[in-house]
Amino acid sequence: METMIKKFCQRYRLPEKSLHELLSHMTEYHFGKGELIVKEGERNTNFYILKKGIWRAYYMIDGTESSLWFAGTGEIAFSS
């Protein structure tokens, strides 16, 4: 958790106290490797802070995956 806090605060120039306040209003979720969080056609308005792991946003074109972006520990992710 400390690694995520340090990376997040450094990347987004946020004081640790402010991050702890934000986290106190959030719910922690755990996702497995390869688990889809948002499927095409679905709406997801959640904002995620990655505590550990990598998030890959992608879309399908003619059956081929095209990556949009990657996020790692201490970064944010959301559905676009």
Side-chain angles (χ1 to χ4, degrees):
M1 180 78 143
E2 285 303 313
T3 300
M4 181 278 289
I5 290 170
K6 287 180 183 180
K7 284 185 176 183
F8 186 91
C9 291
Q10 183 178 34
R11 179 175 181 93
Y12 300 106
R13 297 186 178 139
L14 186 73
E16 281 191 33
K17 183 178 178 181
S18 297
L19 177 58
H20 285 289
E21 176 68 22
L22 174 63
L23 293 173
S24 74
H25 297 282
M26 299 178 78
T27 302
E28 186 171 325
Y29 291 96
H30 297 266
F31 300 102
K33 182 177 180 178
E35 185 176 349
L36 290 177
I37 298 169
V38 182
K39 296 177 184 167
E40 185 175 354
E42 289 183 350
R43 191 159 180 91
N44 182 324
T45 58
N46 293 336
F47 171 87
Y48 299 93
I49 299 175
L50 279 71
K51 183 176 177 181
K52 180 181 174 185
I54 297 174
W55 160 295
R56 179 175 72 108
Y58 70 95
Y59 61 94
M60 299 290 286
I61 298 178
D62 299 323
T64 302
E65 295 179 0
S66 292
S67 295
L68 294 169
W69 88 84
F70 293 86
T73 302
E75 296 181 315
I76 61 171
F78 53 90
S79 175
S80 53

